[in-house]
Amino acid sequence: MPEEILVIGGGPAGMNASVMLSEIGVNVTLVEKDSFLGGNPEKFKYKFLFPDLQPAENVIGELIKKTGNNSKVKVLLNSQISGFKQTGNKFDVAIKSPQGDENKIFNSVIVATGFEHFDPARDAKYSYQLFDDVIDIKDLEKMLGEGKFLRPSNGKPPRNVAFILCVGSRDRHVGNQYCSRVCCVVSVKQAIELKEHFPESDIFIFYMDIRTYGFFEDLYWEAMEKHDIQIVKGRVAEITSGPDNTVVCKGEDTLLRGPFEIPFDMVVLASGMEGGPQSLEMADKLGLEMDEHRFLKPRNITLSPFRSNIDGIFLAGACTGPKAISDAITEGAAAAMSAHIYAQKNP
Amino acid sequence: MDREKAPKRPVAEKGEHIIARHMVEDENLREEKNLVIDGVDVSGRWNTFILSRVDSDFDRSFFREIKKTVVGSRINRCWQCGMCTASCTVTPLYRRFNPRAYIYMMQLGNLREIKKYIDVAWRCVGCYKCSQKCPKQVNPAEMMEALALLIKKYFPEEVESKLKDDEKVKKIYDDMILGNGRLNLATLHTKSLREMGRGMELFSKVERDAIFKMIKDGRAFSVLMLGKSSGWSKSRKAIEKYLKNVEGMERIP
């Protein structure tokens, strides 16, 4: 009898795990709560991916195609896990889907519930939702994807744009002490895209540390050296309305040790990643451990980052912490391998 | 008692009627002699203005101007790591000389900050240690030249008043190098002091001791023997020609 493996979540990690498993002949059931595959990249219409600015279509579109047109992968959209029980080495799962409710025994389970973008409205100092011209990176990503480069308030090209890093990250005030890892490089990427579209506009990045780790550094250097994007050290404490339909960023330039209140045409908040309610829900239903950052907790962060506290349940992608799409895809493959081995050893 | 009374001031001190005067920096105070706003004469107390102490603009026109020059073309590269200041020869002598900070001020077009450093900003000795160590190849040593050009362009009066002595010494130095092809430190020292009106200091004890010591170890005689480099007139012509060209190149458009 072929193995049956359950994948929860249809983002990059879940899709890649499903595709990998299907290629070694495993029957996969992919449960996705949204009405589409692709997770956050698809939801917010990511257009170009860092670090090489390749079209997201090459990555996400490709995975969706491979997952959707796969006889071995049963994709259940708009679906939920309604019941979960461990029976011996296997898992008895009740799935609620538009195609009807079903109960099925699975050899192993991969949880890839991903992340949620931090909602900047939760942090009042950034005046998100108060001013049209204060947007965040996911809004801008969507705008860029739709070919909209103009100011949301009046449809004119922005003369100057500010990116504010570490929104919802590295901030006890909002309860997130961790670094969300990708916001720096996403901001730098978007700054380049904006600058390429509006060579006349001035773009500033307010930072505390710029963490474009590994080879992402190349993009950061390119932003400065090719596109004249200016970095300014200091976090912004307040955004208010300014003259001529501008928004004013109030902060401290920590290098010059002086206060600034600079009016901008557009402010982009580099909001971070959060575990989201879906991971919490899975933790409750499946009995998984959460860490202090409200992400799912791997058994051993270094030795087995894709293994959960329960044998037979594996973790992949951003549900265990903020990470880049490439990392999520790698973890999808790693979890697929581990899930397959578990199924083989526990027939 | 009368003698202890301060003499009556003929002119009011800048912003003296501001109660918390100590909290306002001199340069942030503006007082006009005869100010008329909308037809109303606001001479007297009402014409004291306190400028905002907050930076309210990043003036990038300035950055673009610097970037166009040969010496400042890499200003966009700087990420403020401070390697230049860390390796600087001058900073340990003048704490306020900080290439890293000056580059940042130029990037953000913060002329108000730059103005505070006119007296020290051009103390770079051109050792190029910073340029050798800069991880982004910004070439801070030449960036200091860009800064000097910029200060001369935007603050000519301040340069005139604050750097008067330095200009005098520079002239003596230039004349000596061009005239003889050699630097005679003893002559530079004495001429400079005299030019600055400090000629009497040459007879101080420190100077006397130094001269005595130099006579003793023979250096004084070698100094006197310093003449022109041989065939200098030819080199001199070439250098003068070169300098003319350089002046043309360096000028900020």
Side-chain angles (χ1 to χ4, degrees):
Chain A
M1 209 180 97
E3 299 159 27
E4 293 283 346
I5 292 180
L6 172 67
V7 176
I8 305 171
M15 288 194 294
N16 194 43
S18 308
V19 172
M20 292 299 218
L21 287 170
S22 73
E23 280 176 9
I24 49 172
V26 176
N27 286 329
V28 179
T29 303
L30 176 61
V31 175
E32 167 59 51
K33 73 175 164 62
D34 278 325
S35 58
F36 50 86
L37 282 176
N40 275 318
E42 182 67 12
K43 191 172 176 184
F44 293 99
K45 303 267 173 264
Y46 295 3
K47 180 83 170 175
F48 296 104
L49 303 181
F50 64 82
D52 53 358
L53 291 148
Q54 65 168 312
E57 186 59 28
N58 286 2
V59 177
I60 308 300
E62 189 66 20
L63 277 173
I64 293 174
K65 224 186 320 173
K66 275 189 184 167
T67 317
N69 311 329
N70 196 324
S71 58
K72 285 275 182 194
V73 182
K74 185 177 169 192
V75 178
L76 297 172
L77 300 173
N78 298 309
S79 306
Q80 298 279 341
I81 306 291
S82 52
F84 189 88
K85 211 165 57 195
Q86 193 163 1
T87 49
N89 290 326
K90 295 185 183 171
F91 304 94
D92 184 358
V93 185
I95 303 165
K96 207 174 139 197
S97 75
Q99 287 95 310
D101 297 358
E102 63 173 312
N103 261 61
K104 206 167 173 183
I105 306 285
F106 291 99
N107 297 74
S108 53
V109 179
I110 294 172
V111 178
T113 43
F115 72 98
E116 290 283 302
H117 287 280
F118 173 79
D119 178 10
R122 256 174 53 203
D123 196 346
K125 61 176 169 273
Y126 297 115
S127 302
Y128 182 72
Q129 288 180 341
L130 199 62
F131 304 121
D132 291 339
D133 290 324
V134 180
I135 57 176
D136 80 347
I137 44 175
K138 70 171 186 306
D139 303 330
L140 183 61
E141 193 61 44
K142 203 169 179 178
M143 279 167 60
L144 297 176
E146 289 164 356
K148 288 185 200 154
F149 291 84
L150 302 166
R151 294 177 65 186
S153 68
N154 60 8
K156 284 182 185 159
R159 286 161 299 179
N160 57 357
V161 181
F163 282 80
I164 301 176
L165 301 186
C166 295
V167 172
S169 306
R170 306 173 76 199
D171 189 347
R172 267 212 179 99
H173 180 64
V174 294
N176 297 339
Q177 290 183 41
Y178 52 87
C179 162
S180 293
R181 285 176 104 189
V182 293
C183 343
C184 283
V185 61
V186 170
S187 303
V188 164
K189 182 207 74 145
Q190 291 180 342
I192 291 175
E193 284 176 88
L194 274 179
K195 187 76 181 178
E196 278 180 343
H197 206 80
F198 302 118
E200 294 299 306
S201 68
D202 296 322
I203 298 184
F204 299 87
I205 298 179
F206 292 105
Y207 72 103
M208 177 165 72
D209 303 281
I210 290 195
R211 297 183 162 186
T212 46
Y213 60 100
F215 296 151
F216 298 161
E217 188 78 358
D218 294 344
L219 206 62
Y220 168 33
W221 285 46
E222 189 190 320
M224 291 184 85
E225 299 185 359
K226 274 199 198 145
H227 302 278
D228 290 354
I229 285 155
Q230 179 65 45
I231 54 166
V232 181
K233 186 154 185 167
R235 283 177 98 159
V236 170
E238 198 176 308
I239 297 179
T240 49
S241 70
D244 307 325
N245 190 27
T246 53
V247 279
V248 175
C249 291
K250 179 177 183 288
E252 195 220 340
D253 192 321
T254 56
L255 293 174
L256 288 180
R257 305 210 307 171
F260 62 75
E261 284 169 25
I262 314 273
F264 286 98
D265 278 355
M266 206 156 97
V267 174
V268 185
L269 309 172
S271 47
M273 291 185 181
E274 289 192 316
Q278 68 275 24
S279 294
L280 193 66
E281 189 192 327
M282 282 310 126
D284 273 351
K285 281 182 181 162
L286 275 59
L288 301 175
E289 261 181 51
M290 301 285 282
D291 65 11
E292 67 272 33
H293 306 297
R294 297 178 307 287
F295 285 86
L296 295 175
K297 190 176 184 179
R299 186 177 300 181
N300 182 324
I301 190 91
T302 309
L303 180 66
S304 50
F306 40 80
R307 216 178 279 272
S308 80
N309 54 312
I310 298 171
D311 284 335
I313 303 183
F314 301 90
L315 310 171
C319 62
T320 55
K323 55 185 60 104
I325 292 174
S326 57
D327 296 337
I329 288 175
T330 310
E331 279 190 7
M337 182 66 168
S338 307
H340 172 61
I341 292 170
Y342 179 85
Q344 290 271 302
K345 283 190 177 168
N346 302 286
Chain B
M1 287 297 277
D2 271 6
R3 266 172 54 204
E4 277 177 35
K5 260 189 189 171
K8 216 177 181 185
R9 284 192 300 269
V11 192
E13 239 172 56
K14 217 176 171 188
E16 68 170 355
H17 51 272
I18 299 173
I19 293 169
R21 174 66 182 83
H22 63 284
M23 295 180 79
V24 187
E25 283 172 41
D26 277 350
E27 66 219 35
N28 285 336
L29 274 175
R30 274 288 150 77
E31 277 178 352
E32 310 289 335
K33 267 202 178 119
N34 300 303
L35 191 64
V36 179
I37 298 174
D38 294 338
V40 182
D41 182 9
V42 285
S43 303
R45 272 191 177 208
W46 297 104
N47 70 12
T48 300
F49 294 92
I50 303 171
L51 296 181
S52 169
R53 282 153 276 193
V54 174
D55 295 330
S56 54
D57 187 24
F58 291 145
D59 185 2
R60 291 290 269 181
S61 59
F62 200 67
F63 166 89
R64 283 186 273 269
E65 191 179 333
I66 294 279
K67 209 180 156 223
K68 269 188 215 149
T69 64
V70 178
V71 282
S73 60
R74 286 172 172 185
I75 187 165
N76 57 338
R77 291 186 171 202
C78 178
W79 61 8
Q80 294 291 304
C81 64
M83 190 73 92
C84 45
T85 305
S87 58
C88 185
T89 314
V90 181
T91 310
L93 304 173
Y94 298 96
R95 237 186 123 91
R96 286 169 61 238
F97 182 85
N98 188 333
R100 194 263 313 147
Y102 298 156
I103 294 172
Y104 195 53
M105 291 167 197
M106 289 193 273
Q107 283 180 332
L108 300 181
N110 197 332
L111 284 176
R112 197 161 74 167
E113 278 294 318
I114 287 176
K115 199 180 167 187
K116 292 182 189 166
Y117 298 92
I118 289 174
D119 54 332
V120 286
W122 67 311
R123 296 263 177 220
C124 171
V125 294
C127 66
Y128 277 75
K129 277 186 190 169
C130 50
S131 294
Q132 189 203 3
K133 286 173 184 161
C134 175
K136 291 266 264 174
Q137 291 176 305
V138 173
N139 201 346
E142 290 182 6
M143 205 63 72
M144 292 305 101
E145 277 183 48
L147 177 66
L149 294 173
L150 189 136
I151 286 176
K152 271 188 185 163
K153 182 180 169 185
Y154 284 89
F155 307 106
E157 295 106 45
E158 281 84 351
V159 170
E160 181 86 10
S161 62
K162 288 195 179 169
L163 304 179
K164 212 184 258 170
D165 287 344
D166 301 80
E167 288 291 335
K168 281 178 193 161
V169 175
K170 182 177 177 290
K171 178 142 195 331
I172 297 167
Y173 179 91
D174 284 356
D175 290 349
M176 194 183 288
I177 295 282
L178 266 181
N180 303 325
R182 260 185 199 149
L183 184 62
N184 186 332
L185 281 175
T187 316
L188 180 70
H189 181 66
T190 48
K191 270 194 179 174
S192 302
L193 277 179
R194 244 185 259 136
E195 193 65 39
M196 286 185 246
R198 288 163 57 187
M200 287 310 285
E201 285 178 32
L202 288 170
F203 303 104
S204 66
K205 189 173 183 301
V206 182
E207 295 283 338
R208 285 202 311 270
D209 287 355
I211 290 166
F212 183 68
K213 207 174 166 193
M214 281 173 77
I215 290 171
K216 218 173 151 189
D217 65 17
R219 273 184 293 163
F221 302 104
S222 61
V223 165
L224 289 175
M225 301 280 277
L226 271 181
K228 274 189 189 179
S229 307
S230 62
W232 179 246
S233 61
K234 269 187 197 165
S235 313
R236 179 182 176 166
K237 264 179 210 158
I239 291 172
E240 274 170 344
K241 199 175 154 195
Y242 170 77
L243 283 176
K244 246 183 200 168
N245 285 336
V246 168
E247 264 172 32
M249 266 159 53
E250 274 189 349
R251 203 157 289 141
I252 289 182

